[in-house]
Amino acid sequence: MDLVDEISKKREFSCLPKSVIERVLSLVDVSLCEKDKIREARIILRKYFGVFLTNKVVKPKDVFNYNSVLLSHKSSQKRDYNIFYDMVRSNFGFDDNFKLNFIDLGSGVNGFSYPYLKNIFGNVFYRGVEASKFVVDNTNLFFKRSGYSENCACVWGDLFDENLVFGILRGVEKNRVVFLFQVIDALENLERDFSKDFFLRLKNDCELILVSLPLLSLCGKKRFEVRRKWILDFFRDNFVVLNSCEMFGELFIFLKCT
Ligand SMILES: C[S@@+](CC[C@H](N)C(=O)[O-])C[C@H]1O[C@@H](n2cnc3c(N)ncnc32)[C@H](O)[C@@H]1O
């Protein structure tokens, strides 16, 4: 039995790159029988992806109602994007003559906030990378029908695919701003310490990074103090930390690559 195919049979996981499912399978106890391996892998996938891939997110009623799509996703629903992108501008110290290119890794439905991004930064380049094919297709449909396709696209893929991620970054002109909102936990849970190497590599292929970490766990309780400490220390040692602030239940950290 091909376990990856078997796991992908569940509709909610059929939209994920095979490499994501393979990685999750590699975390499962090898001594389990095939049926239990499939069950365990699905539990892990549900934990890290399922919670963001609800029906409302993957099948929005109206893909052009960008506010309702943003409200449907656990990660974006608390953000006031006018305030948010204004805060991004002031923290990175941009003026109107500065042409920026945004690359949003693990973008979720964040591409639907492009009208707000455009309001603050003008007709900027936006490239999302996201594991859910459903979300990617919806985002691209929104870009196409709203006339944003010239500058905007969302790419389906796995952030562990270095050729894909760094290939995209190298193809983008300088003044690249990488967004990594609420994705570090997903990456770390699939491969411990992955993010350290990832950030060090990112340093060579972008100029600015904005990271966000959730202040609360998904169930709304536990704080991530310990995990946050190592990552904040790591940022201080390897980047210029321009600022950090708490907003919308997230800790945002503004990094300059030197
Ligand atoms: C917590 S959500 C955050 C979404 C968005 N960054 C935001 O804050 O609005 C994490 C997103 O990362 C995506 N993701 C997780 N692991 C990924 C991977 N290996 N490759 C691509 N996307 C991934 C998930 O599908 C999900 O949409």
Side-chain angles (χ1 to χ4, degrees), residues 17-247:
K18 292 215 157 160
S19 56
V20 168
I21 297 175
E22 279 162 3
R23 188 161 302 100
V24 167
L25 264 174
S26 74
L27 301 176
V28 169
D29 184 349
V30 283
S31 66
L32 293 175
C33 67
E34 289 195 332
K35 207 173 142 214
D36 286 345
K37 278 186 185 160
I38 293 171
R39 198 176 57 86
E40 285 294 307
R42 283 184 176 150
I43 290 172
I44 301 174
L45 282 165
R46 229 163 253 134
K47 187 164 168 197
Y48 298 121
F49 292 91
V51 67
F52 304 110
L53 300 176
T54 59
N55 265 344
K56 270 191 186 161
V57 172
V58 299
K59 280 199 292 185
K61 272 198 191 120
D62 178 4
V63 95
F64 306 107
N65 187 344
Y66 52 88
N67 283 319
S68 91
V69 179
L70 290 168
L71 282 172
S72 72
H73 198 289
K74 244 181 171 351
S75 300
S76 46
Q77 61 191 188
K78 292 200 198 86
R79 297 181 191 135
D80 178 327
Y81 277 93
N82 272 322
I83 295 175
F84 177 55
Y85 286 131
D86 202 34
M87 184 239 341
V88 174
R89 179 172 59 178
S90 47
N91 275 287
F92 279 136
F94 301 126
D95 66 37
D96 290 345
N97 301 317
F98 216 75
K99 189 174 170 291
L100 296 167
N101 300 304
F102 292 89
I103 303 100
D104 191 355
L105 301 179
S107 50
V109 298
N110 213 31
F112 288 85
S113 72
Y114 187 79
Y116 296 100
L117 189 74
K118 185 171 174 270
N119 241 359
I120 303 285
F121 294 101
N123 283 320
V124 283
F125 174 98
Y126 174 91
R127 198 58 85 245
V129 181
E130 166 55 44
S132 164
K133 181 88 169 67
F134 296 136
V135 172
V136 167
D137 289 347
N138 293 337
T139 309
N140 284 327
L141 185 63
F142 167 67
F143 287 153
K144 189 169 172 210
R145 300 268 177 86
S146 312
Y148 298 142
S149 293
E150 205 179 308
N151 293 322
C152 304
C154 194
V155 177
W156 183 51
D158 182 0
L159 295 181
F160 285 86
D161 180 347
E162 297 187 356
N163 290 337
L164 173 81
V165 174
F166 294 99
I168 291 174
L169 284 166
R170 283 180 205 135
V172 178
E173 277 178 37
K174 280 205 173 157
N175 298 330
R176 293 159 293 188
V177 183
V178 168
F179 288 164
L180 265 165
F181 301 157
Q182 307 205 21
V183 251
I184 295 180
D185 284 324
L187 302 180
E188 282 291 311
N189 283 315
L190 296 184
E191 192 178 312
R192 209 173 154 70
D193 279 345
F194 169 81
S195 36
K196 282 189 184 170
D197 285 343
F198 189 68
F199 275 105
L200 293 176
R201 290 206 55 192
L202 272 181
K203 240 177 121 163
N204 302 320
D205 288 305
C206 71
E207 287 64 47
L208 296 160
I209 305 176
L210 177 53
V211 186
S212 94
L213 304 172
L215 291 172
L216 298 171
S217 65
L218 283 173
C219 60
K221 286 187 187 138
K222 203 175 77 199
R223 283 191 153 252
F224 292 99
E225 299 297 351
V226 179
R227 248 187 289 175
R228 266 200 290 155
K229 183 175 173 347
W230 76 252
I231 200 134
L232 292 176
D233 288 345
F234 168 79
F235 287 152
R236 273 186 218 109
D237 291 344
N238 294 285
F239 294 85
V240 176
V241 180
L242 296 171
N243 197 5
S244 64
C245 59
E246 293 187 9
M247 241 178 166

